[in-house]
Amino acid sequence: WAFFPWIQDDWRITRDLTLNLGLRYELHQRPVSRTDTISTVDFSGGKATLVTARDRGSFGYPRSLIEEDRNNFAPRVGLAWNPTRRLVVRAGYGVFYQKESANTWVDLAINPPFIRQTARILEAPEVAGFDLRQAFAGVEDIPLLVFAIDRNWRDAYVQQWHLNVQFQPSADWVLQAGYVGNGGSSLPRT
């Protein structure tokens, strides 16, 4: 589940200046497995240790295997300034959090010991007699992929800002210039 309360209001500071301020809080709760069949890798002890949701208590992990990110405060500010009858300046800034896609969390569910992945490489002489019904008979399980997520994962966020100036030289014309920008922080890397 998720929780997103916010407050926002406009203040008319002067006849020519309006200020908009807001604050949003975003809590994207980490998903859990109903049957606790997820696992991750803990690297903190100097070696890789497989931690499952079933034995999380021994390692001090939460049930989701990832700590909640509870500091997602997203401020918003905007202004509209009309210094003359023909000139308007508008500006804004905001922080917007990004919930991580499902694939990141699903990866924890396809880890050992709950899912085993194996590869079998056939040499040319074996191909003709290969029986697909017994494709992995006698093949040892070798974990090829093990997915891990940083226990202290932080939700990504984007900062967005803009500045817009409008000038009306005549009743039928408006000249406008604007700048829009954004920057991402804590974006996931693969």
Side-chain angles (χ1 to χ4, degrees):
W1 61 269
F3 182 62
F4 306 131
W6 80 94
I7 57 172
Q8 184 171 325
D9 205 355
D10 291 330
W11 287 274
R12 190 163 188 123
I13 307 299
T14 68
R15 186 175 63 82
D16 302 331
L17 178 64
T18 301
L19 190 62
N20 177 279
L21 295 174
L23 181 66
R24 179 178 168 115
Y25 176 73
E26 298 191 15
L27 175 62
H28 301 277
Q29 188 176 29
R30 307 299 191 218
V32 296
S33 166
R34 185 170 34 96
T35 56
D36 289 336
T37 53
I38 57 174
S39 64
T40 190
V41 180
D42 181 82
F43 295 98
S44 64
K47 65 176 187 158
T49 304
L50 190 68
V51 178
T52 72
R54 292 178 179 167
D55 62 5
R56 67 187 180 273
S58 305
F59 298 92
Y61 275 75
R63 186 173 179 204
S64 64
L65 303 180
I66 296 108
E67 302 291 341
E68 298 289 347
D69 188 1
R70 298 184 183 273
N71 65 347
N72 295 346
F73 291 95
R76 313 280 163 73
V77 63
L79 68 86
W81 180 43
N82 193 357
T84 71
R85 201 170 58 84
R86 296 177 178 255
L87 181 66
V88 177
V89 178
R90 293 181 180 88
Y93 170 81
V95 173
F96 302 86
Y97 282 89
Q98 171 65 46
K99 181 178 180 178
E100 183 55 26
S101 69
N103 282 351
T104 301
W105 312 117
V106 169
D107 287 347
L108 296 181
I110 58 173
N111 273 345
F114 310 107
I115 302 289
R116 305 288 284 185
Q117 298 181 31
T118 301
R120 180 165 190 177
I121 300 171
L122 298 174
E123 299 296 330
E126 298 174 293
V127 173
F130 181 70
D131 183 357
L132 190 56
R133 291 171 294 191
Q134 297 181 13
F136 294 101
V139 175
E140 181 181 333
D141 285 339
I142 303 170
L144 298 177
L145 293 173
V146 177
F147 296 96
I149 299 176
D150 183 353
R151 172 186 187 156
N152 296 307
W153 176 280
R154 293 292 163 243
D155 293 324
Y157 63 94
V158 174
Q159 299 177 69
Q160 298 179 347
W161 55 90
H162 76 274
L163 174 66
N164 187 282
V165 178
Q166 291 180 331
F167 177 69
Q168 187 174 16
S170 70
D172 296 336
W173 286 86
V174 173
L175 301 175
Q176 176 173 289
Y179 172 79
V180 176
N182 63 62
S185 298
S186 300
L187 300 177
R189 295 178 299 198
T190 56

